[in-house]
Amino acid sequence: DGRVVLFPAAPSKAIKQFPLAEAAIACVTTPNGRPLELRTMTQVPPQEVPTYLNAADVVLVTSRWEAGPVVAAEALACGVPVGTVPVGYAGESSFRSRFPPALAGFLAAASAPALARAVSSFLRDPVPHQRPDDMVLPSADGYAEQLLSAYIDATGARATRG
């Protein structure tokens, strides 16, 4: 009957900053005194990831460095709220604008109090786990085009298409 916050990585991976997630959860006050459990996701087969994401009330990403985090996009595509530090493309406004504000708890600081506030707000005002109707996921070709465009913008390289 408790609430679940999913830390989508192995706690042993230092770059994922599990101690920061633990500190944040220790600061959370849950509505109606319901217990709060921090669960981890380690070595989960890809086809089972949506099950883990949908079982969570909130997904919490505290990584020091990421290219993605892909798990943030996966959780948001499942309609599961995400609290994350500004890491990888999750820190980019073009990524955040794809999702309803009620789901995307993107933060300006990697601190336990800021993360705790995001998790608390999701627990206080939960949203149903449902893929947003107006969310458009790019095709594989569309995603490749976006990545190539971002690479060109970042490096000033010229595109050569095969």
Side-chain angles (χ1 to χ4, degrees):
D1 191 30
R3 309 301 286 273
V4 174
V5 175
L6 180 65
F7 179 81
S12 60
K13 291 186 177 182
I15 200 162
K16 302 295 185 177
Q17 300 192 100
F18 185 67
L20 177 58
E22 288 181 308
I25 296 310
C27 297
V28 172
T29 303
T30 60
N32 303 322
R34 293 174 69 184
L36 182 62
E37 183 178 352
L38 179 61
R39 292 209 172 172
T40 61
M41 189 169 75
T42 306
Q43 297 182 345
V44 174
Q47 66 273 17
E48 293 180 25
V49 169
T51 302
Y52 278 72
L53 295 174
N54 279 298
D57 293 289
V58 180
V59 172
L60 186 58
V61 178
T62 57
S63 301
R64 185 175 306 119
W65 183 89
E66 292 242 9
V70 172
V71 72
E74 292 171 331
L76 292 167
C78 291
V80 179
V82 176
T84 180
V85 297
V87 62
Y89 58 65
E92 302 295 322
S93 61
S94 60
F95 175 76
R96 293 190 312 268
S97 66
R98 292 174 186 250
F99 304 99
L103 294 178
F106 296 95
L107 309 171
S111 71
L115 288 162
R117 282 191 297 276
V119 169
S120 294
S121 71
F122 290 135
L123 297 176
R124 189 175 43 257
D125 300 314
V127 294
H129 291 197
Q130 178 178 343
R131 180 174 155 183
D133 292 336
D134 60 348
M135 190 177 83
V136 178
L137 299 176
S139 66
D141 288 340
Y143 187 68
E145 281 293 321
Q146 288 177 359
L147 287 175
L148 180 58
S149 176
Y151 174 78
I152 291 167
D153 289 347
T155 64
R158 289 187 305 190
T160 57
R161 307 205 192 277

